[in-house]
Amino acid sequence: MAAEEIGVDGAYFRVHHYARQLGSSFPLLAAIGAKTSTIEIGTGVIDMRYENPLYMAEDSAAADLISEGRLQLGVSRGSPEQVIDGWRYFGYDAPEGMTMADVARANTETYLKVIDGARFAEPNPRPMFPNPYAGPLGIEPQSPGLR
């Protein structure tokens, strides 16, 4: 890639919804990772109020594997937004007694456990295809160095 040829060593993207920019960074990060070999790729910050931590674990692990371990993520509990309570349009809200900052922290904790390999889902005794593990299953793919 031309960026590598001129010495660029990092490509990071801000993730904000409702703004004229890319709100879903993992497809772009995976594409850059596939076309380059040395550039570190990542996000400025991902607002964890908007994220399903299990989907994020799958998508970020895939991007990290494609880039051969060059993915660096920044996460946050939120900042001023383009719209009022924007997470509600994504189907999220804080449970009774919690704030959305609490939800963001909980989503981050879940995300970190899952990328560390937590196995938590009860397997079907008659799965569509054989399970590689005995006992609970976790998110796939796993990228061991992602954290």
Side-chain angles (χ1 to χ4, degrees), residues 52-136:
N52 176 308
L54 303 182
Y55 278 133
M56 184 172 157
E58 291 174 337
D59 289 347
S60 61
D64 194 51
L65 290 168
I66 290 167
S67 70
E68 298 179 328
R70 292 179 283 132
L71 181 63
Q72 301 293 320
L73 298 178
V75 299
S76 79
R77 63 176 174 80
S79 60
E81 303 179 79
Q82 298 297 105
V83 300
I84 297 169
D85 297 341
W87 60 85
R88 287 194 174 125
Y89 297 100
F90 279 67
Y92 300 113
D93 207 351
E96 181 84 25
M98 291 179 73
T99 67
M100 283 308 291
D102 296 329
V103 170
R105 288 183 194 96
N107 284 349
T108 302
E109 288 174 20
T110 298
Y111 172 76
L112 292 174
K113 287 177 188 173
V114 171
I115 65 168
D116 284 343
R119 296 188 346 197
F120 55 89
E122 190 62 35
N124 184 342
R126 294 179 303 281
M128 184 183 324
F129 40 85
N131 289 321
Y133 307 106

